[in-house]
Amino acid sequence: DPASTGTTIVRGSYGIYYDQALVGIFEQNSFTNPPYVFTTNILNARLSNPGSGTTSTTGGVPNLIGNGDDFRTPRTQQWNAGVQRQLYARGAVDVSYVGAHGDRLIRPIDINYPQPADVLRLGSVNLARPYLGYGSITLRETTARSTYWGLLTSFRHDGGAAGTLTMNYTLSRNQTDASNDRDAIDIPQNPLDLAAEYADARTDRRHIFTANYVYNIPFMKDSPSAAARAVLAGWQIAGITTINSGQPIPRISESTNGFLRGGRPNIVGDPAAGEQTANLFWFNPNAYTPAADGTFGNSGRAEFRQPGRNQTDLSISKNWTFNRTQRIQFRADAINAFNHTQWLADPQAAGLDNTCTVSLTTCNTPADTFGQILAARAPREIQLGLKFYW
């Protein structure tokens, strides 16, 4: 409190936090790895000669899950500095800078993923793997990192009996090379080029605005008519408005390549070119083309974003009180009150086709939905309620 008046507060802090890794990530190694779960079925075997039976299927190469040799405790550093200022008797503003840096974070890496050039040269996936005799070997290593910075602003007005208003706006950026320690979507395309995975995180929202408000309508509250006051006075409007930019698309994938080509297509144009609409394409499908045999695709992570969100939820209510302890409340709630279309473009929720699957020469044909948004969140919903409190 530099002025010792209680109207301006300056604050700051710094902290180091150590994560506790889930026990389950160690248990999963035993649940998956041989010899405990690697079995072979024998058909038509005899007790006198079990070896005379036949196997129903070939065992194949086993897949392994493990933890890296240099498994360290994940760590996050956080810091912030801010100023809170009273603008007038019932209004205050808060401005803060918040930063964070995580290192030694957990991420999965398939260390036995074959290089496409070796698959093309040897003509066999398993012969091209670094560790022969095994399929995928997913190691959880503590080699990931993250960085966050944010400018956080807030304004609050306390109107007393008239109501309240709070508005918040955040400008931020969150970057990482692994948003989750379990999802296959975070496994690097090329285990020999981990630096290529550093990009905007799946949790990143560049712009976030929220407002919540309560307004007690003063209409007819001083009417001399008791009937008018009972019917028309005492109504309250409340609402929440949320507007934010979309989160990044994790990656564009190519499902028909096998191991002969990398897991992503090549980028040959601007994904944002053209009109971004759901009934056409949210991104330009002609900006991608399948990678050549024996190569990794050069498209990266978080090359463009999903649609943002703009939603307002409103409520209007009134209370009738009698006998001092009992009351009846009527309320009408409108979720997505203005029926604003909320496009759902999360590939994990089947909202956006982000997979190039058509052919070896193109990611886009007239019959394909690659690049299109296929779903939307719920439209406006109105709920009516009548409650009795005693």
Side-chain angles (χ1 to χ4, degrees), residues 171-187:
L171 171 66
S172 64
R173 189 174 190 182
N174 186 16
Q175 293 181 292
T176 185
D177 45 16
S179 298
N180 193 297
D181 61 10
R182 295 182 299 275
D183 289 353
I185 197 172
D186 275 331
I187 296 180

Side-chain angles (χ1 to χ4, degrees), residues 36-100:
Y36 306 108
V37 296
F38 188 68
T39 60
T40 301
N41 296 323
I42 305 296
L43 302 179
N44 302 319
R46 296 185 179 184
L47 292 178
S48 60
N49 184 14
S52 63
T54 59
T55 58
S56 59
T57 58
T58 57
V61 292
N63 299 320
L64 307 181
I65 299 178
N67 297 320
D69 294 335
D70 188 17
F71 194 95
R72 306 172 66 187
T73 300
R75 180 182 67 178
T76 300
Q77 303 176 68
Q78 298 182 4
W79 55 91
N80 67 78
V83 177
Q84 189 175 39
R85 171 73 176 177
Q86 183 180 10
L87 301 178
Y88 51 92
R90 291 184 173 181
V93 64
D94 192 339
V95 180
S96 301
Y97 168 79
V98 177

Side-chain angles (χ1 to χ4, degrees), residues 97-113:
Y97 168 79
V98 177
H101 177 71
D103 54 8
R104 308 201 298 248
L105 305 181
I106 304 174
R107 70 169 168 193
I109 299 176
D110 184 0
I111 63 172
N112 210 29
Y113 192 90

Side-chain angles (χ1 to χ4, degrees), residues 308-371:
R309 193 166 190 181
N310 182 346
Q311 179 166 323
T312 295
D313 303 330
L314 294 177
S315 174
I316 183 169
S317 62
K318 177 176 171 57
N319 292 280
W320 290 271
T321 303
F322 51 95
N323 296 334
R324 295 186 178 182
T325 60
Q326 300 173 335
R327 64 187 173 98
I328 295 176
Q329 182 192 74
F330 169 80
R331 64 183 302 118
D333 299 320
I335 311 302
N336 192 10
F338 302 115
N339 205 27
H340 189 85
T341 302
Q342 311 287 340
W343 297 118
L344 181 61
D346 185 356
Q348 293 181 299
L352 174 69
D353 186 351
N354 68 327
T355 303
C356 171
T357 59
V358 179
S359 69
L360 300 179
T361 58
T362 180
C363 290
N364 181 28
T365 68
D368 192 25
T369 59
F370 176 61

Side-chain angles (χ1 to χ4, degrees), residues 255 294 306:
S255 66
Q306 302 176 31

